[in-house]
Amino acid sequence: MSTTKTIKSALISVFSKDGLEPIVRKLHEQNVTFYSTGGTEEFIKNLGIPVVPVEDVTSFPEILGGRVKTLHPKIFGGILNRQENASDVAQMEEFDIPQIDLVIVDLYPFEKTVASGASEADIIEKIDIGGISLIRAAAKNFKDTVIVPSVSEYSLFLDMITAGNGATTLEQRKLLATKAFHTSSNYDSAIFNYFNTDETVLKISVDECQVLRYGENPHQKGFFFGEFDAIFTKLHGKELSYNNLLDVDAAVNLILEFKNDAPTFAILKHNNACGIATRTSMKEAYLDALAGDPTSAFGGVLIANGNIDVATANEINSLFCEVVIAPSYDDEAVAILQEKKNRIILVINDVPLPERQVRTCLNGILVQDRNAITDNKEGLKNVTTKEPTSQEIDDLIFASKICKNTKSNTIVLAKNGQLIAAGTGQTSRVDALKQAIEKANSFNFDLNGAVMASDAFFPFPDCVEIAKNAGITAVIQPGGSIKDELSINYCNENNVAMVFTGTRHFKH
């Protein structure tokens, strides 16, 4: 039996009619018989094309306010019958079941209804029953039946029947069946996640996928699953790479800590800030962020918490950087930044990030809540005789925000709203501190009066001693070690202020 089949009949039942007309007209040219219900039936009639109401096939009207239309043996028999099976053929004749070669469905917009803030009653009514059943039935019987499961496949299907003069191959039907099961599984996952309150159950289904040039290295394949365009508007530049996306994610998470602060500019490299500063103007913030480590800034990702103006853009333009991100730009600033053809320019939209973080681990998946706690002045506990000054408190909070978004073990040194240096991803906190001090010295920063932030407690007083000797005058850390008193005592004996936050900020 030939695996290429010509479509002679079609059942169409869709929510959205967008893009449907060219398909209906093309099928009509190919003498296809149409079956339909409700609004779709009316749509086809209005095109001046004959259509058979489903109730004429089933001898049963739509009931329950339209909840039951196509759920009938004559409809599902027409879809599910195996044309090479003698028993199926005989039963089709016995019960006068029409052959249905093609099913076109577009489901009720459940996710859009949830996102709109609609009432629970309205959301429940957007759980499609007949449509999802038609999709599964036609996809299961792909050897004989064609399924078009959503508006997203209209264009593909129209190309198929145009090129094939109304006929499809087995490979084409199997491809559409695969897309159909993707549609149904994604739909069911959305419904489950709406109802689910059990945090120990995880179902993830993502509709959008972007194929990347490669993964972390050229020999690795790379993909991004998610709605990138919901978070960013891309103004210019090449496609983002896997590593670009990781850096952009780190940049976004960092700058959110400074969302409502004075002009703040950050430069990141390999997921860590190499420069960040808060100033009275964005240009000053950029220049002082760059001064934090002009060497590492080369090829970095730049992000601002406010508008990038012409003056700032002119300064940025002299630096080779991969990505620039801001909530807005002056038109002339965009034109300046576009002078480098590969530079990626993104506008970040005010879209909340997911509340949970997911990553693979061994043969499974790790899930955790986002680290949504940002240390603030009100939450600080002064544990030393000396209290930090107002400027030191501002710098301690500034440093803590950076520390939270830097790879552990980490130490952050800051002064006057500027990142002086950070020790990142070290196996010991002492090594992280020594790395930070050495880096600060290499760029000729004066550490006298600077502050230090740590992502976790100090089990010994060695770090505060090293910091004191380098000129550090105030320290912020979570506290919680059974030996906290050793560090507190050292600070008291050496005129160093120290505050506890009570919150650890590991980042692995």
Side-chain angles (χ1 to χ4, degrees):
M1 181 177 289
S2 172
T3 60
T4 298
K5 293 185 178 291
T6 300
I7 298 169
K8 298 178 180 178
S9 58
L11 170 63
I12 307 179
S13 179
V14 300
F15 179 84
S16 173
K17 315 302 185 293
D18 294 343
L20 184 61
E21 181 177 346
I23 292 175
V24 173
R25 292 197 182 280
K26 176 59 69 174
L27 291 171
H28 180 56
E29 289 174 10
Q30 295 163 344
N31 299 312
V32 171
T33 299
F34 294 102
Y35 302 97
S36 193
T37 63
T40 309
E41 177 190 340
E42 192 67 25
F43 176 83
I44 297 172
K45 283 181 180 178
N46 289 338
L47 295 178
I49 295 173
V51 57
V52 179
V54 164
E55 52 261 40
D56 287 1
V57 177
T58 63
S59 300
F60 207 96
E62 292 184 15
I63 61 172
L64 307 181
R67 279 190 166 195
V68 179
K69 304 173 187 176
T70 56
L71 295 169
H72 193 280
K74 280 199 170 184
I75 298 302
F76 281 85
I79 296 169
L80 281 163
N81 73 91
R82 295 157 292 185
Q83 294 177 17
E84 77 283 3
N85 185 294
S87 176
D88 284 8
V89 172
Q91 286 190 321
M92 293 282 285
E93 293 177 358
E94 178 184 357
F95 296 109
D96 191 26
I97 299 174
Q99 178 69 43
I100 298 175
D101 301 315
L102 164 68
V103 176
I104 302 178
V105 175
D106 181 59
L107 298 169
Y108 292 153
F110 178 82
E111 289 180 276
K112 288 183 179 178
T113 305
V114 172
S116 73
S119 67
E120 183 175 276
D122 288 339
I123 290 170
I124 299 304
E125 285 307 309
K126 289 299 185 288
I127 298 177
D128 208 312
I129 303 301
I132 205 78
S133 301
L134 292 170
I135 286 174
R136 290 178 64 83
K140 175 177 180 176
N141 201 36
F142 68 88
K143 287 186 177 180
D144 293 315
T145 309
V146 184
I147 175 62
V148 181
S150 73
V151 171
S152 300
E153 276 66 63
Y154 283 5
S155 177
L156 171 64
F157 175 67
L158 182 58
D159 289 344
M160 287 179 180
I161 58 172
T162 300
N165 195 29
T168 61
T169 65
L170 179 62
E171 291 76 16
Q172 289 173 331
R173 294 192 297 277
K174 192 169 185 178
L175 171 64
L176 287 168
T178 302
K179 292 180 178 294
F181 285 122
H182 169 66
T183 296
S184 65
S185 63
N186 187 69
Y187 197 75
D188 286 340
S189 293
I191 294 170
F192 170 79
N193 287 327
Y194 171 74
F195 282 99
N196 183 45
T197 58
D198 184 353
E199 292 184 345
T200 65
V201 179
L202 175 68
K203 289 193 187 301
I204 300 174
S205 182
V206 182
D207 240 357
E208 302 288 333
C209 176
Q210 180 181 346
V211 179
L212 305 174
R213 296 195 301 274
Y214 51 82
E216 201 161 7
N217 298 291
H219 62 277
Q220 297 170 268
K221 291 182 180 180
F223 307 88
F224 174 73
F225 292 92
E227 296 182 73
F228 182 85
D229 292 341
I231 297 180
F232 297 104
T233 301
K234 185 180 175 186
L235 302 181
H236 180 73
K238 62 183 180 181
E239 293 302 312
L240 281 90
S241 69
Y242 183 98
N243 292 331
N244 287 156
L245 288 167
L246 287 174
D247 283 333
V248 167
D249 176 71
V252 168
N253 280 280
L254 173 60
I255 210 67
L256 283 175
E257 307 284 348
F258 301 88
K259 183 176 181 180
N260 300 313
D261 292 359
T264 300
F265 207 106
I267 304 173
L268 290 89
K269 197 75 172 289
H270 300 300
N271 307 161
N272 294 311
C274 59
I276 180 168
T278 298
R279 293 292 181 261
T280 57
S281 74
M282 197 59 73
K283 176 184 173 180
E284 291 175 321
Y286 167 72
L287 289 173
D288 284 349
L290 179 63
D293 186 348
T295 302
S296 296
F298 182 85
V301 169
L302 282 57
I303 190 164
N305 71 343
N307 182 67
I308 291 183
D309 55 19
V310 172
T312 308
N314 277 321
E315 296 293 344
I316 292 172
N317 206 34
S318 63
L319 174 72
F320 169 72
C321 59
E322 292 275 354
V323 187
V324 182
I325 310 167
S328 63
Y329 302 78
D330 288 351
D331 290 343
E332 190 178 342
V334 174
I336 292 167
L337 295 173
Q338 287 177 334
E339 291 176 6
K340 302 293 192 296
K341 69 175 184 177
N342 287 330
R343 180 184 284 148
I344 300 163
I345 306 172
L346 301 175
V347 175
I348 183 168
N349 303 316
D350 192 11
V351 176
L353 296 176
E355 295 180 0
R356 305 180 90 188
Q357 296 175 317
V358 181
R359 65 192 295 183
T360 58
C361 180
L362 300 176
N363 63 344
I365 295 173
L366 283 172
V367 180
Q368 68 170 353
D369 295 337
R370 291 183 61 79
N371 183 356
I373 295 177
T374 297
D375 297 329
N376 56 58
K377 296 177 183 179
E378 292 73 24
L380 300 182
K381 179 184 178 182
N382 191 66
V383 295
T384 53
T385 304
K386 180 185 177 184
E387 294 187 2
T389 65
S390 176
Q391 179 61 57
E392 285 174 335
I393 289 175
D394 288 343
D395 283 341
L396 289 168
I397 295 299
F398 176 86
S400 173
K401 291 177 179 180
I402 303 168
C403 197
K404 169 187 169 183
N405 290 277
T406 305
K407 295 289 185 181
S408 300
N409 283 324
T410 185
I411 291 290
V412 169
L413 306 180
K415 184 177 180 180
N416 297 327
Q418 181 184 25
L419 172 63
I420 302 299
T424 64
Q426 299 303 302
T427 52
S428 82
R429 205 155 300 282
V430 170
D431 286 344
L433 175 55
K434 289 179 177 178
Q435 181 192 57
I437 292 171
E438 181 180 352
K439 192 168 187 180
N441 289 334
S442 72
F443 289 110
N444 298 315
F445 282 109
D446 181 5
L447 287 174
N448 288 302
V451 305
M452 174 174 73
S454 173
D455 58 343
F457 61 63
F458 299 119
F460 304 102
D462 45 8
C463 279
V464 288
E465 181 178 356
I466 295 169
K468 160 64 181 175
N469 292 334
I472 304 297
T473 56
V475 178
I476 185 170
Q477 59 136 316
S481 170
I482 58 173
K483 297 181 179 179
D484 275 341
E485 288 301 319
L486 295 178
S487 296
I488 293 172
N489 290 340
Y490 180 87
C491 289
N492 283 333
E493 293 165 4
N494 291 274
N495 201 35
V496 175
M498 185 158 64
V499 295
F500 284 3
T501 65
T503 302
R504 189 180 74 184
H505 289 298
F506 272 162
K507 185 173 184 286
H508 289 95

